[in-house]
Amino acid sequence: MTGSFLAGVGGYLPTRIVSNDELAMTIDTSDTWIRERTGIIQRHIADDRETAAFMGAAAARAALDRAQIGIANVDAIIVATSTPDQGFPSTATAIQAQLGVTKGFAFDISAACSGFVYGLSVADAMLRTRQCRAALVVGTEVFSRLMNWQDRSTCVLFGDGAGAAVLTWDDETDDASGRGIISTHLHADGRFGDILYIDGATGQSTKPQKLVMNGREVFRHAVGKLSDAVEEALHANGLTSADIDWLVPHQANLRIIDAMGKRLNLRQDQVVVTVDRHANTSAASIPLALAEAYADGRIKPGHLVLIEALGGGLTWGAALIRA
Ligand code: ACO
């Protein structure tokens, strides 16, 4: 085994689906504009019951089911979210309580849309150093609660949902297949904090929160920085893009996804896309896409999977996984 093993992935999406046409009934936009600029057709929107913890716990249960690992074995819960249920306790401890886990540790990570890649990297490092043996990495977001639903430049882009992965480490395993997390590559540059941020914090409860984005600047940074991170990941392992079976990118925008696929010379059918149906679910987007591609049998044991994401911070990163 190369590193910690990705034993199972699961997802949860709110029942309520909101189409572009439905949004166009309340703001000055159109299905055509949204599809052409983003690839988004619809998004799932949480109801009052569907908080980050509720959805994260549901995704975690699905991941544990797929991994066939009992809840009693989980000894680490790492949750990536920008929309926690509360300032504290963390959403991770809320998920821990909902699952009925009573051992190990639980904490949140704040890395915006890169949160799942960051969480995977932290979990992998903690598993390698034997600080835990079965870690849940959860990305869960309710961006609908942050949206200014009158701001057509942002509210059409996001959706709600959660995804989770179970990572395990087994000292007894003598597996020469090379399956597992091969390497993770994280980056941040706080100088660009003002191009994508939440205006207002839970600590400033008098100020309502809202998402602010300079879409063009984010786009400009995304393709360059993600290409560099991907190149770094491949180079570190003596691999080339020809070795990749699947690209599972953060699902912000189909144009960014297509640009990355082209840079890597991948066929369109090697790129897992969910942005059309989920919109941008921030830290949940990669585990939701992984869950779909594992469940429908596209990703098979032994396949080389590349994940990459960029988000507010700026934060960005990439990881290579042998499924
Ligand atoms: N419907 C109709 N018209 C709209 C809408 C809308 N929903 N939103 C903006 N417009 C209008 C603008 O008002 C503007 O009109 P004007 O020319 O009369 O002033 C025109 O469309 C162009 O606006 P831009 O913001 O310049 O549109 P752009 O072509 O840049 O597309 C988009 C916006 C899709 C956000 C683009 O910048 C983008 O893809 N950015 C990448 C970043 C991204 O995807 N962010 C998502 C979250 S960040 C992340 O996850 C990494």
Side-chain angles (χ1 to χ4, degrees):
M1 195 160 68
T2 306
S4 45
F5 180 61
L6 190 61
V9 204
Y12 176 87
L13 288 160
T15 323
R16 183 168 171 234
I17 293 175
V18 174
S19 68
N20 293 343
D21 285 331
E22 190 176 339
L23 288 181
M25 293 196 296
T26 52
I27 51 169
D28 183 15
T29 190
S30 66
D31 178 51
T32 309
W33 192 96
I34 300 170
R35 276 186 203 232
E36 282 177 4
R37 304 288 175 117
T38 70
I40 296 165
I41 297 170
Q42 62 171 47
R43 71 283 296 137
H44 292 250
I45 300 292
D47 64 23
D48 290 347
R49 192 184 50 119
E50 291 166 319
T51 66
F54 176 94
M55 295 194 300
R61 282 187 205 99
L64 288 164
D65 272 358
R66 284 203 72 86
Q68 295 187 303
I69 288 175
I71 281 173
N73 295 306
V74 173
D75 57 1
I77 301 178
I78 299 173
V79 174
T81 185
S82 300
T83 50
D85 288 14
Q86 294 169 269
F88 75 86
S90 65
T91 300
T93 53
I95 290 175
Q96 190 192 32
Q98 290 189 27
L99 293 177
V101 174
T102 52
K103 66 177 185 183
F105 55 85
F107 62 90
D108 287 2
I109 285 184
S110 173
C113 299
S114 316
F116 182 76
V117 183
Y118 269 60
L120 202 71
S121 181
V122 172
D124 180 46
M126 296 187 97
L127 284 156
R128 282 176 197 265
T129 51
R130 313 293 193 274
Q131 294 180 71
C132 53
R133 301 185 78 86
L136 271 169
V137 181
V138 182
T140 182
E141 302 282 18
V142 271
F143 265 55
S144 62
R145 311 243 213 275
L146 290 177
M147 286 299 128
N148 171 357
W149 286 98
Q150 302 309 313
D151 177 8
R152 66 179 183 173
S153 68
T154 52
C155 76
V156 303
L157 302 175
F158 294 91
D160 300 331
V166 191
L167 267 62
T168 56
W169 188 283
D170 185 355
D171 288 325
E172 312 297 311
T173 308
D174 181 18
D175 183 350
S177 66
R179 294 174 71 193
I181 310 292
I182 298 173
S183 67
T184 59
H185 305 266
L186 306 183
H187 295 277
D189 191 338
R191 289 175 301 166
F192 303 110
D194 61 349
I195 65 170
L196 179 58
Y197 61 98
I198 293 172
D199 187 17
T202 39
Q204 298 168 282
S205 52
T206 51
K207 198 171 171 189
Q209 299 176 44
K210 92 174 156 43
L211 185 121
V212 183
M213 182 186 70
N214 180 336
R216 292 210 168 166
E217 276 299 291
V218 174
F219 200 109
R220 196 174 65 77
H221 283 285
V223 180
K225 289 185 163 48
L226 289 172
S227 298
D228 290 348
V230 164
E231 183 53 40
E232 181 188 331
L234 291 170
H235 184 73
N237 296 290
L239 297 166
T240 71
S241 60
D243 296 307
I244 298 170
D245 293 298
W246 295 103
L247 171 64
V248 186
H250 169 47
Q251 309 280 323
N253 186 306
L254 194 57
R255 292 187 299 163
I256 298 176
I257 295 172
D258 283 347
M260 288 303 297
K262 283 198 183 103
R263 286 210 177 188
L264 290 165
N265 282 323
L266 297 177
R267 299 186 314 274
Q268 270 188 342
D269 64 0
Q270 288 179 280
V271 183
V272 178
V273 174
T274 56
V275 70
D276 51 339
R277 289 157 292 127
H278 301 174
N280 182 348
T281 57
S282 189
S285 89
I286 291 177
L288 272 168
L290 281 172
E292 194 171 284
Y294 269 92
D296 66 20
R298 271 178 287 174
I299 298 179
K300 297 192 177 3
H303 278 174
L304 184 67
V305 180
L306 170 67
I307 64 173
E308 42 87 338
L310 175 134
L314 290 176
T315 57
W316 67 100
L320 279 168
I321 302 162
R322 183 70 68 186

